[in-house]
């Protein structure tokens, strides 16, 4: 069987994840219960989930020439991601994450080496990008890199943009994508209208799709997922689990989407599968280290 090739172009951050009851008020000092540290960054997380699901995954990105950079490269290799194309410069990106008792997370990132990526880094990898079946992008690297890739590599590969954190992207660039994936906050930014429930997500998906004519997927955490493509608009509920840490859940979901599509699942089954993958992720503390392997995703037998 042909090996599916996935190329993720994106960020690597060394994450420091604190669990605490709530965020501090101005001038207040709070205690956290514990610290989990390890690999993060949306690019790295999405690459790890694809690799853990058995897809041949290469990550194009940059880390610092520091100990965080060493740890990030090591953890990509241990997760089965091809890390040969990761370059090093300056200081690594960092993710400072607060996970609250309800499992919700708040994240602040230091851009670091992620923002030293340049067009030459991409031009040096033309062959790799041309050979990819799937190219996955997020917004934790310079915007011009993502635009360059979308505009130049939209012919052969299925192109997925996770517009996270949300940025304004030109409409004609968005129209070259195959999938746009956003959460409710990012959808809200893109349409400048509240997206707080399933009905509003239906409207948002409709509105975005009418402008970009590409499949729009809006993730709503425990309220599930809304998808609009050329034929359908539908909602898929999330799996009922006790979420202890939602760090990277959206990234794990995207890995699940790529797996489902690559196996020829229907779009509905693909969303069900991706929901299942991310529901396993939120059951455990930590970032990509809590992402499931393919063998853990028992629901696969149902599809
Ligand atoms: O999506 C989760 C990720 O967002 C974390 O790993 C953190 O680094 C931020 O980039």
């Amino acid at each position: 069987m042909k090996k599916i090739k996935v190329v993720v172009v994106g960020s690597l951050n060394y994450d420091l994840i604190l669990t605490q009851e709530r965020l501090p008020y101005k001038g207040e000092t709070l205690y956290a219960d514990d610290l989990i540290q390890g690999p993060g960054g949306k690019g790295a997380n999405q690459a790890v989930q694809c690799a853990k699901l058995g897809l041949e995954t290469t990550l194009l990105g940059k880390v610092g020439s520091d100990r965080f950079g060493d740890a990030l490269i090591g953890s990509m290799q241990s997760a089965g991601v091809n890390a040969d194309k990761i370059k090093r410069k300056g200081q690594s990106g960092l993710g400072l994450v607060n996970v609250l008792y309800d499992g919700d997370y708040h994240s602040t990132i230091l851009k670091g080496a992620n923002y030293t990526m340049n067009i030459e880094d991409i031009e040096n990898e033309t062959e790799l990008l041309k050979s990819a079946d799937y190219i996955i992008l997020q917004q934790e690297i310079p915007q011009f890199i993502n635009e360059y890739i979308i505009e130049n590599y939209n012919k052969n590969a299925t192109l997925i943009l996770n517009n996270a954190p949300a940025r304004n992207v030109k409409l004609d660039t968005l129209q070259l994508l195959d999938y746009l994936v956003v959460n409710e906050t990012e959808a809200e930014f893109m349409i400048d209208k509240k997206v707080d429930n399933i009905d509003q997500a239906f409207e948002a998906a409709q509105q975005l799709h009418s402008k970009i004519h590409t499949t729009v997927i809006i993730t709503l955490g425990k309220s599930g997922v809304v998808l609009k493509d050329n034929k359908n608009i539908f909602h898929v509920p999330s799996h009922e689990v006790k979420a202890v840490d939602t760090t990277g859940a959206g990234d794990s979901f995207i890995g699940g989407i790529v797996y489902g599509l690559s196996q020829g699942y229907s779009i509905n089954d693909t969303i069900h599968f991706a929901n299942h993958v991310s529901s396993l992720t939120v059951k455990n503390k930590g970032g990509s280290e809590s992402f499931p392997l393919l063998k853990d995703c028992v629901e696969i037998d149902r599809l």
Side-chain angles (χ1 to χ4, degrees), residues 11-15 17 39-43 45-46 94-97 105 107-109 140 162 165 246-251 287-288:
S11 58
L12 300 99
N13 297 329
Y14 193 83
D15 280 354
I17 306 175
K42 297 184 196 304
N45 289 346
Q46 293 174 20
L94 292 178
L96 301 178
V97 181
Y105 93 108
S107 162
T108 307
I109 55 175
E140 290 182 339
N162 176 211
T246 57
T247 310
D251 302 325
S288 61

Side-chain angles (χ1 to χ4, degrees), residues 36-81:
I36 294 182
Q37 49 182 307
K42 297 184 196 304
N45 289 346
Q46 293 174 20
V48 167
Q49 186 61 85
C50 289
K52 282 188 158 183
L53 293 173
L55 303 173
E56 188 180 303
T57 308
T58 303
L59 176 57
L60 289 188
K62 271 191 177 166
V63 294
S65 313
D66 49 19
R67 68 194 167 88
F68 296 127
D70 297 339
L72 284 164
I73 290 179
S75 59
M76 290 305 104
Q77 288 165 337
S78 320
V81 174

Side-chain angles (χ1 to χ4, degrees), residues 95-114:
L96 301 178
V97 181
N98 305 94
V99 177
L100 309 187
Y101 285 179
D102 58 5
D104 277 348
Y105 93 108
H106 301 253
S107 162
T108 307
I109 55 175
L110 177 80
K111 293 175 177 173
N114 296 307

Side-chain angles (χ1 to χ4, degrees), residues 119-190:
I119 297 293
E120 209 187 335
D121 294 327
I122 303 304
E123 279 175 344
N124 289 339
E125 302 305 341
T126 301
E127 288 314 310
L128 174 74
L129 286 157
K130 275 194 194 152
S131 70
D133 297 298
Y134 292 86
I135 298 176
I136 316 178
L137 306 166
Q138 325 72 32
Q139 296 282 31
E140 290 182 339
I141 57 172
Q143 167 121 344
F144 63 84
I145 301 279
N146 280 343
E147 285 170 355
Y148 181 84
I149 292 171
I150 296 169
E151 283 155 21
N152 289 283
Y153 295 96
N154 58 67
K155 299 274 181 315
N156 301 331
T158 299
L159 263 182
I160 302 173
L161 172 68
N162 176 211
N163 195 22
R167 281 184 188 148
N168 280 316
V169 185
K170 287 177 286 177
L171 268 190
D172 48 357
T173 305
L174 289 172
Q175 286 167 356
L176 297 171
L177 294 169
D178 297 288
Y179 295 88
L180 170 73
V181 185
V182 285
N183 67 17
E184 57 273 67
T185 314
E186 292 141 9
E188 203 166 301
F189 174 91
M190 292 185 82

